[in-house]
Amino acid sequence: MRSIWNGAISFGLVSIPIKLVNATESHSISFRQIHVTDGGRVRYRKVCELDGEEVSSDEIGKGYEEADGSIVPITDEDLAQLPIATAKTIEIVSFVPADEIDPLQMDSAYYLAANGATAAKPYTLLREALKRSRKVAIAKFALRGRERLGMLRVVDDVIAMHGLLWPDEIRAPEGVAPEASVSVREAELDLADALMATLGEVEISSLHDDYREAVEAMIAAKAGGAFEPSEAVVEPAGGQVIDLMAALESSVRAARASRGGDAGGGGGGGEAEVTPIRRKTAAAASPKAVGGKKSTASGRGGGAAKKTAAAKSTSKATASGTATASKSAAKKAASGKKSTASTAAKKTAGAGAGKKAAPRKRSSA
């Protein structure tokens, strides 16, 4: 691989000569601008404004435009002579845990290759030190006319460097989060965790660019004259309310089924579905069902009430009969007593009257 920058890593008093090599490459398909009428290529020509002549890349340099429009020429030699330590040096300033680096700061990635036999020993020393400490190195370096921030870490047996954005280059996420207050239930979180665990089983190396493959197939078909355009069927994304729990459950079943796993308690891995929520309205309520419940309740309550009333009536009748019988017996007893008393009184009175009516016998002289 071709190096794009030569310099050294400054590791305390240790200097490691290195070469900077691009660690990534783009596989995106690039298009040329053409004239739609005849298909001719449209090119950008670099023309000098003063003499109107086209200039080659070898004749093009750098310049800084002042506020009044004047240009100050800047050469590569001017930039190389800047009084900064990072002009040709990757200067390590600290070692930190990897999780302290915000992924938002990640930029381009490079491989650092040892430049020469003398660089092998210090290069290996830094690599093994990074491995054992499980930390990354934060460094400053200058590349393409500006000073940059970098992070050094170990990839296999190579030291890799990620360009980092400066902290003030990260925009604050103001006004991005939803403004509405939303609460999430524990059951929804559990299903989301299950879906994450299922989808997390995929290997990154198995993923590929479907869009690029489709574009390449289209180009090949058009070049062969056998291309037949067809409209993609895109379902409009409506603003309908969905049953989140049902959508999560279906997603988990579909993800497990696509990976040959257990479909869970849903009974098979069907396709993921979104179930609309059926909102209850006043017209949707069933008055018969409500009335039936009330009728049943009142029937049950009426039967109980009737039984209770009958029991009370029977109790009252029994109590009334008992009381009447008691009163009758009492009256008879009282009548009997009165009759007996009257008879006794009459006998006494008769006896008295008999005594009074009987004349006294006078004794003879």
Side-chain angles (χ1 to χ4, degrees), residues 82-101:
L82 291 176
I84 57 174
T86 57
K88 277 292 184 179
T89 304
I90 300 175
E91 183 181 1
I92 296 177
V93 295
S94 66
F95 294 88
V96 300
D99 56 5
E100 291 188 7
I101 304 301

Side-chain angles (χ1 to χ4, degrees), residues 5-75:
W5 184 86
N6 294 337
I9 300 176
S10 175
F11 178 32
L13 298 178
V14 178
S15 180
I16 310 171
I18 54 96
K19 296 183 294 183
L20 197 67
V21 179
N22 278 322
T24 62
E25 58 185 2
S26 175
H27 290 165
S28 61
I29 299 173
S30 59
F31 299 100
R32 303 295 185 184
Q33 290 185 331
I34 63 172
H35 189 196
V36 177
T37 303
D38 54 16
R41 174 81 179 275
V42 177
R43 297 178 182 271
Y44 288 101
R45 295 184 178 181
K46 299 179 179 179
V47 179
C48 178
E49 292 181 352
L50 297 179
D51 56 19
E53 295 182 0
E54 185 178 354
V55 295
S56 63
S57 299
D58 297 338
E59 299 176 292
I60 298 175
K62 300 181 182 70
Y64 178 79
E65 185 178 1
E66 295 279 9
D68 58 358
S70 60
I71 302 295
V72 179
I74 303 296
T75 65

Side-chain angles (χ1 to χ4, degrees), residues 161-306:
M161 181 174 70
H162 295 268
L164 299 179
L165 299 175
W166 295 98
D168 58 358
E169 293 179 322
I170 305 297
R171 299 176 61 184
E174 296 178 356
V176 179
E179 296 180 359
S181 178
V182 180
S183 60
V184 179
R185 294 179 294 169
E186 290 294 330
E188 294 170 340
L189 284 174
D190 293 340
L191 280 174
D193 289 340
L195 181 58
M196 290 168 60
T198 304
L199 296 179
E201 296 174 359
V202 67
E203 295 183 0
I204 298 296
S205 59
S206 65
L207 302 178
H208 57 280
D209 190 348
D210 294 328
Y211 181 81
R212 178 174 61 86
E213 293 179 358
V215 172
E216 290 175 346
M218 178 192 65
I219 293 173
K222 293 196 75 170
F227 177 70
E228 296 182 1
S230 60
E231 294 184 0
V233 179
V234 180
E235 296 182 359
Q240 63 178 355
V241 180
I242 63 172
D243 188 344
L244 184 57
M245 291 292 290
L248 286 171
E249 290 173 352
S250 299
S251 299
V252 172
R253 289 197 299 268
R256 288 176 177 172
S258 65
R259 287 161 176 75
D262 183 16
E271 295 183 356
E273 299 178 353
V274 177
T275 305
I277 293 178
R278 297 181 180 177
R279 297 185 176 180
K280 294 182 180 180
T281 59
S286 176
K288 292 183 178 181
V290 177
K293 290 181 179 179
K294 288 184 178 179
S295 177
T296 304
S298 62
R300 292 177 180 175
K306 289 180 180 179

